[in-house]
Structures are given as C-alpha cells and as structure tokens.
C-alpha cells in the first residue's frame, strides 16, 4: 500500500507552481485547481507515476484518464482530430470540454493512462493555476478528480486534503473551483457522442456542431462521475491472443506474462517471457501491464500464460483487467 507521505499544502504562487512542476518531473503526485474541480496530476508519460495515481485514488479498476495540455497544438501530438473535433476545440478550448479521440501514433502518454485503449481523452483547462503548472512542466498531465475513488469530486483544497492527505506530495491551493462539476466528455471517433454531461452544456456543443449530439447508449452502473456509458468507447483493451490465467506451468507455444522472481515450470520454453515486475512490485506491474500484453499479443503465441498476481493494492485493478482481457467480462 501507499507509504504515508507528508502532503504539503501551498498557496498558488510562483514558488508552488515551480514546486509542482519539479514533483511532476520526479514522478510525484500534485493536486491543483482546474476550472471544473481539483485534479490529481501525474506525468502522463510516466507509467509508474500513473500507477501511483491509481493507487492514491484507490481506483478499483484502471479507468482511462484525461490528459491535460496547454493548447491545441500540444493536443495534436496526442490525438487525431476530425472536422468535428477541430470545430469543438476551436470553440471551447480552453474550457470544460474533454474530447475522446483516436490516439496518435507518436502519442507519448503511458498505456496505463489510457487503459490500453486506442483512444485518448484530452482537455485544455481554463484555469490560471492549472495552466501555469502545465506551462512550467511542459508535458501532458493526467489529472482525474482529486478524490478517493467513489467519493464526490473536490472543489476546494480542504476537500482534497481530507481525501488524499498522506497519499500525495503536494496540494496547490488556488481557492474554490469556479465551475464545480466535471468536464463534459464528447467522443469524436466517427459521429460525435456525448459520453458524460458536465460543465459545458450540450446545447452549446450542438450549436457549434450544427447538429444534435448522439447520446451514449444504455447507461451502465458506475460511479456518479463516470461517463454515461463507459462500456461504449472506453471498451476494455482485449488482446487477440487467448489469455490463460493463474498459470503455474507453461504449455508449448505459449508466451509468458510473469510476476515476481519465481517463474513457473517450463518458463524457458515460452515464445517470449515478459515480467510485470521481477521484484514483485505491484506499482511497477501496473505500469507495465498494457504494454507487456500488447508485446506478447504480437508474438502470435498459442496463448498468453499469466502467472497469479496478488490481489492487494493495485493488484485488484490488475486482476480486474486481466480477467476482462481473458474474456471474463467485456
Ligand atoms: P475524471 O478525470 O475523474 O473526470 O474521469 C475521467 C473520465 O473520462 C472517466 O470516467 C473515463 O471513463 C473517461 N474517459 C477517459 N478516457 C476515455 C476514453 N478513451 N474513452 C472513453 N472515456 C474515457
Ligand atoms: Mg472523478
């Protein structure tokens, strides 16, 4: 579990912005205000930092995160914009609108942050402090709401401290957040779809698009701040190769997804063996999960044999994703 950290709270000013950028660069966790709610920021391109973020929030599963950038130009490095996406970005960025778009080929965001998906959620926030931190850090920042998973989103620094005190490095206090509810999420992967209502009203979006926004299909149960249908575009990453879980012995033709120092029987015969964490560290394992699965999927092995992974801490989310990838729950 997360070691107890001394969470510092600093008033938003030049010094705290510089400190936030330093902590992000070092792979740490910083909560800061955006115009919607307080976000918990981590270096989006650092898989271990992203894994720490999931752990600090106590997320039971790896929901894909929103990558925050300073402007449209920076967003173009992460994602592909179709004509509708261009129109929405031009009209509403910076602002409380998140676009879910196809991930670009050179996108530097860690696979864990997008939960292994081929799409990525991107936003350009419109808050002085968030923008100063993004500017000082100079790279994309994933920033889900700065609360324990399942709790309500924080709109001031005291809310963040109550939930995440001892779990994160720094809270930059910039006062209460002006919008107070999460961003509106629109997917532009084909016909635009409203995935989550939020701080930007639907009517404004429809006026810009000059047509009606499709709703995400049938709501699935989930957290109050989850998109209406996380199952639709946030479909779980699924390798083509069959997964065999809780493996203690490798069969001929299989690839191995290992965990920990002790390998299963016949491990040497595996087509390819990748270890989530040779020292049995669940944070390292989470950071490697999706990229290792993709690499093993590319070997055209008969199956991917997966060693047991303990269920504590991030192990719960790792096992959840492994079960889904194995076809247990798509
Ligand atoms: P939060 O940052 O806490 O406001 O939550 C971010 C929301 O964005 C989550 O509910 C995600 O399911 C959603 N999201 C992020 N990436 C994607 C994606 N690629 N496709 C669909 N939904 C996404
Ligand atoms: Mg949230």
């Amino acid at each position: 579990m997360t070691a107890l950290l001394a969470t510092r709270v600093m008033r938003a000013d030049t010094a705290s912005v510089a400190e936030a950028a330093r902590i992000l660069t070092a792979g740490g966790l910083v909560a800061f205000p955006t115009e919607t709610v307080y976000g918990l920021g981590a270096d989006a391109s650092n898989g271990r930092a992203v894994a720490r973020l999931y752990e600090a929030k106590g997320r039971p599963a790896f929901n894909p995160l929103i990558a925050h950038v300073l402007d449209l130009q920076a967003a173009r490095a992460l994602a592909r914009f179709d004509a509708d996406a261009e129109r929405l970005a031009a009209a509403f960025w910076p602002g409380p609108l998140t676009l879910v778009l196809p991930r670009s080929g050179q996108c530097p965001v860690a696979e864990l942050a997008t939960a292994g998906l081929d799409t990525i959620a991107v936003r350009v926030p419109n808050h002085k402090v968030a923008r100063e931190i993004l500017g000082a850090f100079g790279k994309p920042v994933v920033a889900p709401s700065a609360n324990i998973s399942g709790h309500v989103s924080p709109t001031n620094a005291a809310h963040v401290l109550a939930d995440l005190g001892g779990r994160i490095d720094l809270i930059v206090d910039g006062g209460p957040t002006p919008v107070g509810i999460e961003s509106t999420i629109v997917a532009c992967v084909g016909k635009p779809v409203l995935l989550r209502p939020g701080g930007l009203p639907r009517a404004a979006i429809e006026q810009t698009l000059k047509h009606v926004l499709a709703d995400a299909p049938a709501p699935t149960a989930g957290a109050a701040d989850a998109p209406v249908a996380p199952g639709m575009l946030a479909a779980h990453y699924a390798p083509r190769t069959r997964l065999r879980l809780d493996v203690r012995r490798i069969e001929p033709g299989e690839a191995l997804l290992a965990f920990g120092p002790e390998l299963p029987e016949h491990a040497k015969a595996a087509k390819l063996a990748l270890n989530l964490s040779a020292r049995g560290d669940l944070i390292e394992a989470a950071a490697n999960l999706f990229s290792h699965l993709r690499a093993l999927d590319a070997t055209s092995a008969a199956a991917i044999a997966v060693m047991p992974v303990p269920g504590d801490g991030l192990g719960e989310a790792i096992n959840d994703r492994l079960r889904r990838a194995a076809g247990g729950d798509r």
Side-chain angles (χ1 to χ4, degrees), residues 186-207:
V186 173
C188 290
V189 185
K191 192 167 60 120
V193 175
L194 180 69
L195 292 184
R196 176 178 77 182
L200 181 69
R202 168 202 284 270
I205 297 169
E206 292 180 336
Q207 223 167 42

Side-chain angles (χ1 to χ4, degrees), residues 247-248 256 258-265 267 275 277-280 307-308:
V247 162
R248 289 165 206 283
L256 169 63
F259 177 84
E262 269 158 51
L263 299 184
E265 276 183 73
N275 204 323
S277 171
R279 56 195 166 91
M307 283 177 66

Side-chain angles (χ1 to χ4, degrees), residues 59 64 66 100 117 119-121 144-145 185 195-196 225-227 233-234:
R59 286 219 172 183
I66 299 170
V100 170
L117 300 171
T119 55
I120 182 166
S145 49
I185 306 182
L195 292 184
R196 176 178 77 182
D225 64 349
L233 278 146

Side-chain angles (χ1 to χ4, degrees), residues 52-281:
R52 285 191 58 210
L53 187 155
Y54 282 112
E55 187 180 63
K57 278 187 63 94
R59 286 219 172 183
F62 300 130
N63 295 323
L65 305 173
I66 299 170
H68 293 68
V69 291
L70 203 50
D71 52 30
L72 178 56
Q73 194 196 333
R76 284 191 211 284
L78 310 184
R80 294 200 305 274
F81 287 70
D82 64 10
D84 287 322
E86 290 285 353
R87 225 168 275 142
L88 293 176
F92 300 115
W93 279 358
L97 173 69
T98 295
L99 294 175
V100 170
L101 305 169
R103 213 182 136 109
S104 75
Q106 343 64 266
C107 176
V109 171
E111 299 246 19
L112 182 63
T114 52
L117 300 171
D118 295 327
T119 55
I120 182 166
V122 191
R123 185 164 95 84
V124 176
N126 185 18
H127 188 287
K128 186 168 176 286
V129 176
R131 299 187 59 76
E132 283 173 0
I133 291 173
L134 287 173
F137 179 55
K139 293 199 293 175
V141 171
V142 282
S145 49
N147 52 273
I148 296 281
S149 188
H151 292 188
V152 292
S153 296
T155 55
N156 65 38
H159 296 161
V160 180
L161 187 64
D163 256 29
L164 299 177
R167 293 171 168 253
I168 65 177
D169 299 289
L170 175 65
I171 300 170
V172 178
D173 184 353
T177 57
V179 175
I181 56 171
E182 296 85 355
S183 60
T184 302
I185 306 182
V186 173
C188 290
V189 185
K191 192 167 60 120
V193 175
L194 180 69
L195 292 184
R196 176 178 77 182
L200 181 69
R202 168 202 284 270
I205 297 169
E206 292 180 336
Q207 223 167 42
T208 295
L209 290 175
K210 299 196 171 50
H211 57 76
V212 172
L213 254 187
D215 277 312
T220 17
D225 64 349
V228 187
M232 196 198 56
L233 278 146
H236 304 298
Y237 168 67
R240 280 158 304 152
T241 313
R242 183 171 58 88
L243 254 65
R244 199 161 67 83
L245 303 181
D246 291 323
V247 162
R248 289 165 206 283
R249 185 195 152 115
I250 302 302
E251 302 294 337
E254 285 186 329
L256 169 63
L257 184 63
F259 177 84
E262 269 158 51
L263 299 184
E265 276 183 73
H266 303 309
K268 285 218 173 69
K271 274 187 95 131
L272 176 64
L274 293 175
N275 204 323
L276 288 170
S277 171
R279 56 195 166 91
D281 171 9

